[in-house]
Amino acid sequence: MKYINTRDESNPINSSEAIKNGLAPGGGLYMPQSLPFYGDIFDRLIDTNYAFRASEILSYYLTDYLKDDLTADCKTAYSQNKFTSDDKIAPVVNYNSNISILELFHGPTSAFKDMALQLMPHLVSRALPMNGENRTMYILTATSGDTGKAALEGFRDVPQVKINVFYPAEGVSYIQKLQMATQEGNNVNVCAVKGNFDDTQNGVKKIFGDKEISKKCSENGIFLSSANSINWGRLAPQIVYYVSAYCDLIKNKVIKNGDKINVCVPTGNFGNILAAYLAKRSGLPIDKFICASNTNNILTDFFNSGVYDIKRIFHTTISPSMDILISSNLERLLYLAAGCEATSDYMKHLKENGIYKVPDSIRGIFSDIYGMWCGEEDTKAEIKKAYNEYGYLCDPHTAVGLNCARRYIEKSGDTRPMLTVSTASPYKFASSVYYALTDNIFLDEFKNISSLASFAKIKVPAPLEAISKKEIRFDPDIAIETDEMADAALKFILN
Ligand SMILES: *Cc1c(COP(=O)(O)O)cnc(C)c1O
């Protein structure tokens, strides 16, 4: 299977090259030239573990990798060494009579980004020799909080790779900040940036487009790449857990093989939900998607009207990993619906005018995606409702999803089994969760964590528990301007 650029189909490449490159030339994203079809594989996967399911599904997409290599890498990535336990890689838990929850936060950094970023470094390490690449891969990543830590943890001390993460100084939670500030490894760097996530992401995109920088890099045997969800190496592993969840729903007798489910995903950069959409296009029986946003509800407006308009206020919310106005992976959906030429056009409009409009004829192609959003007060109320009525402790991102899933079911009367995705451990956002549940809050975040743990009687993930004792390596109180990002990136790599 070959991969093409969403903005220019003329030069198809292998998956390993797409993963090595990250971003396609001209700012486009890599997509499979045609999507594979799974056929009836679900029965065969029901009694297998996550690592096995992962290598089976990935082998449909990463066809230039050897199957044995994928099997070995999935075994290493999705193991008890990295995740809470072997049977807790991506468990599906029963929430109520309509809703099941797919928990994706049992990895080393307690957010769903681990699902891809524990595997992706293995895919990268194989991609470099597969493409005769001797240069150092320098990964620049902008993060709204969770990608950064998961990428640092995944790529730390990986040979031939260095990584620099930029995060918005005022746009991430205290624990997210501390997770990054205490990161270990000899090939990692972390910078706080003044501004919001979009400013930070634009800063990174600017570095990628800077001819001077790419010249300096190539003179020094370095090339730039990305670990954001624009990289196919992030998206492909995310497809796996939707297939895995479907198998678990059959196993748990919630559905029968062939039954359709609905899927609700708390969304920011549109990567996670796009993975579910791709799974459907390859034959996973999904009926509707609920694209759940927080107060930054640009995607809700887009799915309702076809207009994508970034000229609006950016809100800082208690679900910071979804505080995004430019959802990069939407480009891949547009490509599937409208093709290369139209996609290039939309992206050009977005860049020049901050807006584009998709005609109803195109929007109709993805009418199975519903946009919904949930405000701050409703997010807190949903955290409380989930706990009081169903005994489920959820983080604010997950609460946004649960709120939208519940309202969708109430409004539509569609009682098809709903799979809603839990994207982070509640302890990563302990102050917000503890406050929503008790109306109490402490200045010391570790006091919020321990109070939440004794309130809910659920164990704090070990890496979060240990973080207060770790040495600060990257001072979170020093934030650079966005126009200093390029210098910071060069200074780290050239030293
Ligand atoms: C990244 C993230 C999201 C948003 O996922 P996208 O793939 O960017 O849409 C939601 N919740 C949490 C906790 C996240 O870390």
Side-chain angles (χ1 to χ4, degrees):
M1 175 190 290
K2 293 282 183 180
Y3 285 75
I4 51 96
N5 176 347
T6 48
R7 301 187 197 176
D8 171 13
E9 272 165 324
S10 63
N11 183 25
I13 59 172
N14 283 332
S15 71
S16 61
E17 195 179 350
I19 289 169
K20 175 183 93 98
N21 292 353
L23 204 63
L29 308 180
Y30 289 111
M31 274 293 273
Q33 206 166 23
S34 61
L35 292 171
F37 185 67
Y38 305 145
D40 191 18
I41 51 163
F42 310 116
D43 266 338
R44 198 163 56 78
L45 296 180
I46 287 174
D47 288 317
T48 62
N49 67 12
Y50 191 85
F52 184 86
R53 292 171 182 177
S55 58
E56 288 297 300
I57 298 304
L58 286 168
S59 67
Y60 283 99
Y61 298 91
L62 310 179
T63 50
D64 52 326
Y65 286 79
L66 294 176
K67 180 72 187 290
D68 284 352
D69 290 345
L70 288 178
T71 303
D73 291 345
C74 289
K75 235 182 193 162
T76 316
Y78 302 118
S79 73
Q80 199 164 348
N81 293 337
K82 303 287 186 171
F83 287 76
T84 316
S85 70
D86 270 340
D87 55 356
K88 261 202 176 175
I89 308 292
V92 176
V93 304
N94 186 59
Y95 181 69
N96 64 23
S97 57
N98 277 128
I99 299 177
S100 300
I101 297 182
L102 169 57
E103 291 187 344
L104 300 177
F105 57 79
H106 296 289
T109 76
S110 305
F112 90 89
K113 306 298 194 290
D114 288 327
M115 298 306 300
L117 281 162
Q118 280 301 308
L119 180 68
M120 186 182 156
H122 297 284
L123 301 178
V124 164
S125 292
R126 296 203 190 270
L128 298 177
M130 280 163 81
N131 291 281
E133 183 59 78
N134 299 316
R135 295 173 297 171
T136 297
M137 178 167 171
Y138 187 21
I139 297 173
L140 299 179
T141 285
T143 181
S144 58
D146 291 328
T147 288
K149 177 62 186 181
L152 290 161
E153 194 56 33
F155 281 103
R156 80 183 228 201
D157 297 324
V158 170
Q160 212 184 330
V161 176
K162 291 197 170 178
I163 175 165
N164 197 333
V165 166
F166 296 95
Y167 70 87
E170 304 305 327
V172 301
S173 82
Y174 176 74
I175 292 295
Q176 288 176 321
K177 204 177 259 195
L178 213 55
Q179 278 185 310
M180 291 187 275
T182 57
Q183 178 63 45
E184 293 165 11
N186 288 321
N187 61 341
V188 303
N189 193 43
V190 178
C191 303
V193 177
K194 290 179 193 160
N196 63 35
F197 172 70
D198 284 319
D199 299 326
T200 310
Q201 178 161 261
N202 282 335
V204 168
K205 282 184 182 164
K206 223 162 131 187
I207 299 175
F208 278 108
D210 189 317
K211 298 239 155 51
E212 273 299 299
I213 292 178
S214 72
K215 190 166 154 249
K216 253 206 191 110
C217 284
S218 67
E219 284 166 5
N220 288 280
I222 298 155
F223 74 100
L224 299 179
S225 190
S226 162
N228 280 102
S229 58
I230 52 172
N231 191 312
W232 180 251
R234 283 279 303 279
L235 268 183
Q238 294 183 178
I239 298 171
V240 172
Y241 48 72
Y242 290 103
V243 179
S244 172
Y246 188 81
C247 295
D248 286 338
L249 286 172
I250 302 174
K251 194 171 179 168
N252 299 349
K253 301 201 165 36
V254 176
I255 56 168
K256 288 200 287 296
N257 192 357
D259 289 351
K260 283 188 177 171
I261 59 169
N262 293 329
V263 171
C264 174
V265 187
T267 295
N269 224 3
F270 207 73
N272 202 353
I273 192 169
L274 184 80
Y277 186 80
L278 293 174
K280 175 177 179 176
R281 297 281 294 246
S282 288
L284 187 67
I286 298 175
D287 190 35
K288 302 216 164 50
F289 301 90
I290 315 299
C291 174
S293 299
N294 64 21
T295 314
N296 296 294
N297 55 3
I298 186 164
L299 286 167
T300 313
D301 291 346
F302 173 72
F303 286 108
N304 288 331
S305 68
V307 177
Y308 198 88
D309 184 357
I310 62 170
K311 294 181 270 75
R312 60 176 72 207
I313 294 170
F314 181 98
H315 297 278
T316 300
T317 72
I318 58 169
S319 45
S321 301
M322 294 155 67
D323 290 346
I324 293 176
L325 292 183
I326 303 178
S327 296
S328 304
N329 278 297
L330 196 61
E331 176 167 351
R332 288 186 159 111
L333 181 74
L334 295 173
Y335 164 78
L336 285 173
C340 255
E341 216 170 299
T343 302
S344 308
D345 229 43
Y346 298 140
M347 292 303 117
K348 194 161 157 250
H349 272 276
L350 183 66
K351 195 169 178 192
E352 288 170 4
N353 312 313
I355 187 168
Y356 61 86
K357 181 170 172 34
V358 172
D360 287 351
S361 56
I362 297 294
R363 195 154 62 94
I365 297 173
F366 45 80
S367 60
D368 49 352
I369 306 178
Y370 281 65
M372 293 181 76
W373 70 282
C374 168
E376 292 289 271
E377 288 312 311
D378 287 344
T379 305
K380 288 181 211 155
E382 202 70 28
I383 292 173
K384 197 162 185 171
K385 192 178 173 71
Y387 189 75
N388 289 345
E389 288 181 26
Y390 304 108
Y392 192 80
L393 187 69
C394 70
D395 99 289
H397 305 77
T398 306
V400 167
L402 281 171
N403 176 276
C404 294
R406 181 174 61 77
R407 280 165 43 233
Y408 168 81
I409 294 166
E410 283 166 10
K411 209 171 82 187
S412 66
D414 177 354
T415 56
R416 224 183 254 293
M418 171 77 79
L419 182 74
T420 180
V421 179
S422 178
T423 50
S425 159
Y427 292 109
K428 223 170 164 174
F429 305 92
S431 48
S432 303
V433 177
Y434 189 62
Y435 182 71
L437 290 175
T438 64
D439 281 325
N440 264 322
I441 194 162
F442 300 98
L443 276 176
D444 176 2
E445 185 67 356
F446 290 102
K447 184 91 173 87
N448 290 315
I449 292 181
S450 59
S451 305
L452 184 60
S454 33
F455 177 86
K457 301 184 185 59
I458 295 177
K459 220 171 153 293
V460 181
L464 289 185
E465 188 108 76
I467 198 173
S468 65
K469 294 181 194 73
K470 289 183 88 172
E471 177 206 349
I472 301 279
R473 293 188 63 207
F474 307 101
D475 190 343
D477 294 326
I478 302 172
I480 60 174
E481 303 285 344
T482 45
D483 60 12
E484 294 170 322
M485 288 168 65
D487 281 343
L490 282 177
K491 194 172 152 209
F492 172 64
I493 192 81
L494 297 179
N495 267 346

